Amino acid sequence: MRRVRLTLEYDGIGFHGWQRQATGERTVQGVIEEALDRLPGKRGPLCAAGRTDAGVHALAMVAHVDKATDLPDERLRLALNAHLPREITVLDVVTAPDGFEAQFDCTYRRYLYRLKVYRDQPAGLALERDRVLPVFRRLDVEAMDMAAETFVGARDLSVFATQETRSRTRTVYLCALERCREELRLHVAADGFLRNMVRAMVGTLLWVGKGRLSPDDMHGILESRDRTCAGNNVPPQGLYFVEAGYRDWDRVRSDTVARERISSVLG
């Protein structure tokens, strides 16, 4: 048995999230473990840096697994991809130290949420329906960007929590909007994420963009710790897991990694 670190890309639309379900739904973890079982040698459980929900995608999810195999890393990557459906691709396989933990060694995680204004340019609405959140009215992007900046810092984020039983205190390192032609991209990095946290952030920023809230309202909303004061959870199809970090947060380094990954896949 040796511990291997996998870097995974997947399209989340056809899966009931990452985590294997006792009731048998199709999940990313379950499909990859089935592929591992088709290769000679026993294995341990597949553990990921994050557990994405149904419909959420990944550009570079990190996971680890213990596998009894003599295959070199690159041969193991090719063999796994031969047994995986096209919705999942193993981008990289590296033999890891025995104590490496994809989840617990991870110091930060970074997500991207894509929105696109289709009011005047509907081209792509049908083809991108499972990749981006469509918006049908113009938004005050400057106000949204100002509001997003208030989410940065260490605080109780109960206002964005959905059915959360863990501690709700998180440190948000980055929350910023980027304009990319008609598309808006929200970049969020934190030491950890509550369930549906990014989707609630986006829903709140949409209220700002539509004039229902102002950037000045954000501090009071955060301090309220009341989920009903923030925006609705937006649908999952615009959400992408971009990076699992294993060093201290560095904005420049993370931006470089994210830019390369996003541009190579999404343009």
Side-chain angles (χ1 to χ4, degrees):
M1 297 278 277
R2 80 174 191 269
R3 179 153 295 190
V4 293
R5 169 174 164 165
L6 312 176
T7 305
L8 307 163
E9 174 186 290
Y10 55 83
D11 178 339
I13 292 300
F15 297 98
H16 196 77
W18 165 270
Q19 190 171 6
R20 181 184 284 276
Q21 301 293 314
T23 46
E25 289 91 345
R26 187 173 186 253
T27 68
V28 178
Q29 179 188 18
V31 168
I32 298 174
E33 287 183 340
E34 288 169 6
L36 285 163
D37 289 340
R38 295 190 184 101
L39 303 178
K42 295 181 180 180
R43 64 159 178 87
L46 181 69
C47 303
R51 296 177 179 178
T52 51
D53 291 330
V56 178
H57 318 293
L59 301 183
M61 175 64 76
V62 174
H64 78 261
V65 66
D66 294 328
K67 178 70 175 174
T69 178
D70 293 327
L71 290 175
D73 291 342
E74 178 61 10
R75 288 281 302 280
L76 180 57
R77 183 186 73 84
L78 294 171
L80 271 174
N81 281 332
H83 290 286
L84 285 169
R86 292 184 65 185
E87 300 110 304
I88 304 175
T89 299
V90 182
L91 301 176
D92 190 36
V93 173
V94 177
T95 297
D98 289 341
F100 172 74
E101 293 279 349
Q103 179 183 0
F104 299 113
D105 290 347
C106 188
T107 54
Y108 67 88
R109 295 156 183 84
R110 180 167 177 157
Y111 283 87
L112 164 73
Y113 197 95
R114 300 172 64 202
L115 310 94
K116 189 170 182 180
V117 178
Y118 283 101
R119 179 183 175 90
D120 300 319
Q121 297 185 15
L125 178 58
L127 297 178
E128 289 275 75
R129 65 190 182 279
D130 293 333
R131 306 285 178 270
V132 64
L133 179 70
V135 180
F136 300 100
R137 58 181 291 180
R138 297 184 184 92
L139 301 171
D140 186 341
V141 178
E142 183 177 352
M144 293 172 68
D145 199 25
M146 291 174 60
E149 291 177 0
T150 65
F151 300 159
V152 176
R155 60 170 56 87
D156 185 314
L157 292 173
S158 294
V159 70
F160 298 133
T162 304
Q163 298 178 340
E164 188 62 66
T165 58
R166 302 168 296 171
S167 167
R168 300 179 180 189
T169 299
R170 297 290 186 273
T171 300
V172 177
Y173 299 118
L174 169 70
C175 190
L177 272 176
E178 174 192 17
R179 301 188 196 212
C180 186
R181 298 177 295 277
E182 295 300 315
E183 188 174 312
L184 296 177
R185 295 177 175 179
L186 181 70
H187 299 269
V188 185
D191 61 355
F193 285 84
L194 306 175
R195 184 179 180 185
N196 293 331
M197 176 173 145
V198 177
R199 292 163 62 187
M201 285 178 162
V202 174
T204 304
L205 293 177
L206 281 173
W207 280 6
V208 174
K210 295 173 182 178
R212 182 170 175 177
L213 295 172
S214 76
D216 292 337
D217 295 326
M218 292 301 102
H219 289 291
I221 288 172
L222 289 168
E223 289 300 317
S224 76
R225 303 180 184 178
D226 182 351
R227 182 67 190 87
T228 63
C229 292
N232 300 323
N233 293 342
V234 294
Q237 76 269 18
L239 186 57
Y240 298 74
F241 186 98
V242 174
E243 181 192 9
Y246 292 92
R247 291 186 282 181
D248 290 342
W249 167 252
D250 182 292
R251 170 73 184 269
V252 174
R253 182 176 63 232
S254 180
D255 281 350
T256 301
V257 171
R259 190 179 304 113
E260 180 179 337
R261 288 175 178 168
I262 292 168
S263 63
S264 66
V265 179
L266 306 177

